[in-house]
C-alpha cells in the first residue's frame, strides 16, 4: 500500500491537487477516524485539509501560532512523530467531553525543515502503535518531498511566464 501511495503522491505536480488528495492517500496506509493536514508558513500552521469531521469545511483555513501548541513545538524540535495512546492522560491536550482518544502526529519534513504536520485521531484508546509511527514517517517524508516538488514546479512555471511576458514587452 505504501509503494502504491508513494507513486501516486510523486505523480502530481499541482500542489492544490496534492493537498486535496493527501489525506485520502494516507487512509490507505494508516486508518483514522479524523485527520488534519497543517501547513507551515513562518511561525504559523494552517489547516490545509481535513477528513472525518462533521464541520470539515469550517476547519479549513484555521490558523494557530506554533508557539501555542506543545505538540507541534516538540515535533519541530525533535523532527519525530508523536504517539499518544490516550489524550485524556496527556497534559498537552485540553479536557474534552468526548475526545478521540488515540492521537498520532507526523511532521512533514523537507530539506531538514518542518513544512507541516499530519494529525490523525482514532476513537479507540491505544490504537496507534510504533509500527504506525514508522509507516507514517515514511509516508510523511514522501508527502513532504511531493509537496516541495509541486511548489518548486509551480514557482518555475510562474518564473517562465514572467520571463515570457518580459520578452514580449521587450520585443
Amino acid at each position: 500500500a505504501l509503494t502504491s501511495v508513494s507513486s501516486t503522491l510523486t505523480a502530481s505536480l499541482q500542489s492544490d491537487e496534492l493537498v486535496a488528495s493527501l489525506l485520502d492517500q494516507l487512509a490507505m496506509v494508516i486508518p483514522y477516524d479524523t485527520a488534519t493536514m497543517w501547513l507551515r508558513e513562518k511561525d504559523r500552521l494552517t489547516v490545509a485539509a481535513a477528513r472525518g469531521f462533521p464541520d470539515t469545511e469550517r476547519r479549513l483555513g484555521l490558523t494557530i501560532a506554533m508557539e501555542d501548541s506543545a505538540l507541534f513545538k516538540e515535533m519541530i524540535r525533535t523532527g519525530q512523530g508523536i504517539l499518544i495512546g490516550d489524550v485524556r492522560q496527556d497534559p498537552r491536550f485540553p479536557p474534552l467531553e468526548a475526545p478521540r482518544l488515540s492521537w498520532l502526529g507526523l511532521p512533514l519534513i523537507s530539506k531538514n525543515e518542518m513544512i507541516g504536520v499530519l494529525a490523525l485521531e482514532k476513537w479507540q484508546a491505544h490504537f496507534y502503535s510504533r509500527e504506525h509511527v514508522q509507516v507514517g514517517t515514511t509516508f510523511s517524508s514522501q508527502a513532504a518531498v511531493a509537496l516541495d516538488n509541486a511548489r518548486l514546479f509551480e514557482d518555475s512555471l510562474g518564473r517562465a511566464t514572467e520571463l515570457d511576458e518580459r520578452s514580449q514587452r521587450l520585443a
Side-chain angles (χ1 to χ4, degrees):
L2 192 56
T3 302
S4 171
V5 165
S6 173
S7 62
T8 303
L9 285 178
T10 55
S12 176
L13 288 175
Q14 302 293 323
S15 59
D16 290 344
E17 182 182 296
L18 189 57
V19 165
S21 70
L22 205 122
L23 292 178
D24 297 329
Q25 297 295 319
L26 179 58
M28 293 183 221
V29 180
I30 300 177
Y32 59 78
D33 292 321
T34 62
T36 313
M37 181 171 67
W38 299 80
L39 292 179
R40 181 179 183 181
E41 204 152 313
K42 296 183 181 152
D43 63 343
R44 303 193 70 71
L45 286 165
T46 302
V47 175
R51 297 287 185 276
F53 297 97
D55 61 346
T56 295
E57 291 301 314
R58 243 187 55 216
R59 291 175 185 267
L60 297 177
L62 174 74
T63 301
I64 65 164
M66 286 189 297
E67 277 300 307
D68 294 342
S69 172
L71 293 164
F72 292 160
K73 282 194 305 191
E74 184 177 329
M75 278 189 266
I76 289 170
R77 186 176 51 76
T78 65
Q80 302 290 316
I82 297 175
L83 169 66
I84 297 172
D86 190 336
V87 300
R88 296 172 297 188
Q89 298 168 359
D90 193 299
R92 297 172 289 192
F93 281 88
L96 300 168
E97 251 179 60
R100 289 163 204 90
L101 300 177
S102 289
W103 190 87
L104 177 60
L106 301 164
L108 294 165
I109 298 174
S110 178
K111 298 176 187 162
N112 291 324
E113 184 179 334
M114 191 175 94
I115 62 168
V117 172
L118 298 171
L120 312 178
E121 299 172 310
K122 285 292 277 180
W123 289 104
Q124 175 187 344
H126 304 285
F127 178 84
Y128 293 116
S129 66
R130 299 303 305 153
E131 289 79 24
H132 288 116
V133 173
Q134 289 173 334
V135 170
T137 299
T138 301
F139 177 91
S140 65
S141 296
Q142 293 170 342
V145 168
L147 286 165
D148 202 34
N149 286 344
R151 184 189 55 78
L152 290 170
F153 178 73
E154 290 167 351
D155 287 351
S156 68
L157 283 180
R159 281 196 290 280
T161 302
E162 184 181 318
L163 284 172
D164 190 43
E165 289 169 358
R166 285 183 182 179
S167 295
Q168 289 177 8
R169 279 196 306 258
L170 285 173

